[in-house]
Amino acid sequence: MSDSTPPQSTDLELVRRALSDQEELLHLMERYESRLLRYVHRLTGLGQQCVEDVVQEVFIKIYRNLNNFDQALAFSSWAYRIAHNEAMNYIRSNNGRKTLPIETDDEDSLNLADILASEVDLPDEAARAEQAQLVRSILYTLKPVYRDALILRYLEDQDYAAMSDILQKPMGTIATLLNRAKTQFKQLAQKNNLTLHFAS
Amino acid sequence: MSKLSQSVLDKIKKEQIAPRARWQFVVLHCAVWTLLLLSVITGSLAMSVVFRDLFGTEWEFAEYVAGSRLRGIIIMLPYIWFATTALGIFLAYKLFEKTRHGYRYRAWVIAGGTVALSGLTGLIFFAAGTADSFEHGIRQTIPQYARLREAVEGQWVAPEKGILVGRVKELTNEEMLLVDDLAGKEWEVERVGQALELPFELRVEMMLLMRGEAVEDDEFQASQLRPWRRGEPLRKPGRPGPGAEGPGAFERGTPPPPNARVLNRQGPGAFAPNTPPPDGEAFNREGPGAPELVPQPAPPMR
C-alpha cells in the first residue's frame, strides 16, 4: 500500500491501481469520502452514523464494479451516481417510516437560498438564521428527485452534463427538473410565509 | 486513514470482496444489445406483415365479405401483428434505455428512432418478400395462430356472397381455370366481363381473389380477378401453404418454367417483340409484336 495519496494521480490511474491492489482503494476513498458523506447527508438528512453506513456501502459497490467504470464519464460522476442510487434506495426503503431529517446544516439551507438569490431576495442577515429552519424543512418537503436536483446543482456544484451522468437522465430533462424544483421550492416558500421576495 | 476508509477496507478483506471480472460486464452489455437487436428485428418483421396485409389486401372487396367496407376492414385488420409490432418497439425502447449511454437521449428521440428503424426495416422486409415466409413460418410453428388466421382469411371464401379466394391449379383455357379455395375445395372458374382483360399475368399456383357468383356447387363465374396479397412470391406447383419461398419459388420477371401455362395479354409482363415465347403454353394477345395465338391442346376438363 502506498504511504500517501499521490496527488498528481488521476482518478483513472487510481482505479487501475485499485484493481490490482485493494489497498489502493484507500486513495480513491480519501479523495471522495468527504464529498460523498456530505452529499448523502444532504440528500437523506440522516445522522452521521447512518450516512457513514450508506457511504460504506457506496464504496463497496464502487470497488465491486470497478471493471464496469465507464471511462467516458468522470469518476466523480460515477461515484455520485452510485451514491445517489444507494441514497435513493435508502429513502425508498424507509419511506414507510417517514424518516424525518434530524440533522441538516442550517448553512446548507441558507446556501441554497443564497444561490437561488438570483431569483430570490433574502431579507436582512438577522432574519436569515431564523429562516434557516424553514428553508430546510421546505427542502425536505420537496420530492426526493427535486431535492436531489437542487442539491447537486447548487450545493454540490455539478454542471448539467455531470448531473445527466449522475441521475442518468438527458440534459434537457435535467434542465426541466431543475426548473420544476425551483418553482416548487418557491411555491412552498410562499405557502409557508417564508419572507422571500421573488424576483420577477 | 479515516475510520470510514478503514472500515471499508476491513469489510473488503473480511468478506473477501473482489471486483467483478470485466468479462461479466461485457457479457451483460452484449446481452442487452443482442436483446435490443432481436426486439428491433421482431418489430420489423411484424411490421412487414402489417404492411403486407395493409397494402396487399383488396379492401374494396371487403364490403362483400362483411356487409360494409368499414366492418370488413375492422374484421380483417392484422391486430395480432399490430400488437407484436408494438411489443417489439416497446422492448427495443426499454432496452435502449438500459444501454450504457441510452440515458443521454430523450424519450421521444428513442421512441421515434425505434419506430423509424422498425418501420424502415419492416418496409425493406416487406419489399423483399420476407413477410410471407416469416408469417408462413409462424403458421407452421404455432398452430393456434394458424387457426386464427385461417378463421379470418376463411371469410374471403364466401361464394354465396360472390367472393372467392384460392390458388390457381390449372389454366384450362383462355376463359376457364381450376382453383383450390383456401379451404381446399376445387372450383371451376369461368372468367367473364372484366375478368377477361387482366392487367397482370395469370399463372398456375397464383393466389387469386375473385368477385362474381357461384353458379353451381363447384363452379364460379368471376367477373373480377385480382392477385391475392400483392407481393406474395409465386411458387412451384406442389409447394404447400402461402408464403413458401426458397429454391422452388419462381423469381419475378423470369420466364415461366416449361410446364407453366401463361396468359399474358399486355403490360410489363408481355413478351418482347419478336421474342418467341418460352417453352410452355402461352397466350399473348396484345401489344406490338405479340405472337399469334396458336391453339394448344387443352388438358381435359374435369
Side-chain angles (χ1 to χ4, degrees):
Chain A
M1 185 174 108
S2 309
D3 293 335
S4 62
T5 307
Q8 72 284 11
S9 297
T10 63
D11 288 342
L12 187 56
E13 285 167 347
L14 293 181
V15 166
R16 285 182 183 145
R17 277 188 227 157
L19 276 168
S20 53
D21 178 5
Q22 60 186 204
E23 299 281 349
E24 294 285 341
L25 183 65
L26 181 67
H27 298 314
L28 274 173
M29 288 194 286
E30 280 175 353
R31 196 170 278 186
Y32 284 97
E33 183 182 316
S34 60
R35 288 167 70 181
L36 294 184
L37 281 169
R38 196 178 55 223
Y39 171 58
V40 172
H41 172 64
R42 284 168 169 166
L43 187 56
T44 59
L46 292 168
Q48 178 73 14
Q49 187 55 51
C50 290
V51 168
E52 283 189 3
D53 289 346
V54 172
V55 173
Q56 175 177 297
E57 202 49 45
V58 169
F59 281 127
I60 298 283
K61 285 199 172 164
I62 285 175
Y63 183 61
R64 262 192 227 277
N65 294 286
L66 272 182
N67 271 317
N68 195 33
F69 167 53
D70 179 3
Q71 294 178 21
L73 303 184
F75 181 82
S76 68
S77 298
W78 189 61
Y80 267 91
R81 180 192 292 179
I82 293 173
H84 159 83
N85 291 339
E86 202 60 29
M88 284 299 182
N89 284 343
Y90 186 91
I91 290 172
R92 269 192 289 271
S93 63
N94 289 282
N95 200 30
R97 282 187 265 156
K98 290 280 176 200
T99 312
L100 290 172
I102 51 170
E103 290 178 34
T104 49
D105 298 334
D106 286 355
E107 202 55 41
D108 268 0
S109 306
L110 288 171
N111 278 346
L112 180 63
D114 271 345
I115 290 160
L116 291 172
S118 57
E119 296 159 73
V120 177
D121 298 325
L122 287 173
D124 60 68
E125 200 64 33
R128 286 162 56 91
E130 290 174 23
Q131 288 173 346
Q133 173 68 27
L134 194 48
V135 170
R136 193 176 62 207
S137 61
I138 289 171
L139 188 61
Y140 283 93
T141 314
L142 293 175
K143 283 183 186 172
V145 67
Y146 291 152
R147 184 164 74 232
D148 200 6
L150 289 177
I151 289 169
L152 281 171
R153 181 74 190 100
Y154 297 114
L155 299 179
E156 298 294 331
D157 204 25
Q158 301 285 348
D159 61 20
Y160 279 30
M163 285 179 72
S164 164
D165 291 333
I166 293 166
L167 300 177
Q168 293 184 280
K169 292 182 190 301
M171 281 209 269
T173 306
I174 295 295
T176 310
L177 199 61
L178 270 172
N179 276 333
R180 286 184 186 160
K182 283 193 283 186
T183 305
Q184 203 175 80
F185 183 87
K186 289 177 200 170
Q187 283 171 349
L188 285 169
Q190 280 178 325
K191 268 187 193 171
N192 288 278
N193 296 320
L194 186 64
T195 51
L196 301 175
H197 304 284
F198 295 96
S200 56
Chain B
M1 186 189 297
S2 72
K3 198 177 115 198
L4 176 64
S5 302
Q6 186 60 58
S7 72
V8 171
L9 278 181
D10 289 347
K11 188 173 179 184
I12 285 172
K13 285 174 187 168
K14 189 181 166 194
E15 298 181 15
Q16 295 182 316
I17 296 168
R20 286 190 192 130
R22 180 176 292 275
W23 68 263
Q24 290 180 353
F25 296 109
V26 172
V27 166
L28 190 68
H29 294 305
C30 286
V32 171
W33 278 103
T34 305
L35 287 173
L36 172 60
L37 188 67
L38 286 175
S39 301
V40 170
I41 291 172
T42 304
S44 304
L45 284 169
M47 204 174 256
S48 73
V49 179
V50 169
F51 286 141
R52 185 203 66 170
D53 283 9
L54 290 183
F55 300 141
T57 300
E58 296 289 347
W59 295 107
E60 64 187 273
F61 283 18
E63 64 180 288
Y64 301 118
V65 176
S68 77
R69 187 177 294 189
L70 181 64
R71 192 158 177 267
I73 289 169
I74 290 169
I75 290 172
M76 303 294 173
L77 279 176
Y79 297 105
I80 197 164
W81 292 110
F82 281 133
T84 310
T85 303
L87 181 68
I89 289 173
F90 175 75
L91 286 177
Y93 170 83
K94 295 308 277 183
L95 285 162
F96 185 81
E97 277 190 327
K98 300 285 175 204
T99 59
R100 191 163 248 192
H101 297 139
Y103 66 85
R104 290 182 179 173
Y105 302 89
R106 300 200 84 154
W108 67 267
V109 174
I110 303 176
T114 315
V115 170
L117 181 64
S118 298
L120 188 68
T121 323
L123 266 180
I124 293 169
F125 283 150
F126 167 62
T130 313
D132 277 318
S133 44
F134 169 68
E135 204 255 353
H136 181 57
I138 296 291
R139 279 184 201 234
Q140 289 191 321
T141 314
I142 308 172
Q144 293 88 344
Y145 169 75
R147 279 197 291 276
L148 183 74
R149 290 292 287 195
E150 279 161 15
V152 173
E153 290 181 346
Q155 297 184 67
W156 287 96
V157 180
E160 71 284 358
K161 295 175 184 170
I163 288 287
L164 194 63
V165 170
R167 187 180 301 279
V168 178
K169 191 176 177 185
E170 184 181 315
L171 298 169
T172 312
N173 59 38
E174 267 189 276
E175 292 174 359
M176 304 296 290
L177 53 152
L178 289 182
V179 169
D180 282 340
D181 71 20
L182 291 174
K185 183 183 172 183
E186 187 180 271
W187 290 84
E188 195 173 0
V189 176
E190 182 189 3
R191 298 159 64 197
V192 296
Q194 291 176 26
L196 286 167
E197 301 292 331
L198 297 177
F200 61 89
E201 197 178 29
L202 201 57
R203 289 173 183 267
V204 170
E205 280 298 301
M206 185 178 202
M207 291 294 290
L208 283 180
L209 171 62
M210 292 157 274
R211 166 94 182 114
E213 72 176 308
V215 289
E216 293 289 339
D217 189 42
D218 58 354
E219 288 179 21
F220 193 83
Q221 206 169 52
S223 54
Q224 284 177 283
L225 288 184
R226 303 277 172 88
W228 170 247
R229 294 263 155 77
R230 286 185 292 254
E232 183 182 19
L234 302 176
R235 285 171 293 281
K236 272 186 177 174
R239 300 269 302 168
E245 276 191 328
F250 293 165
E251 291 290 329
R252 286 192 175 280
T254 56
N259 62 345
R261 291 159 58 86
V262 177
L263 293 172
N264 191 6
R265 296 164 190 279
Q266 56 189 0
F271 299 134
N274 304 323
T275 306
D279 290 342
E281 296 177 9
F283 299 92
N284 192 358
R285 267 196 184 167
E286 294 177 10
E292 269 186 44
L293 179 63
V294 181
Q296 301 289 325
M301 297 284 288
R302 288 172 62 251

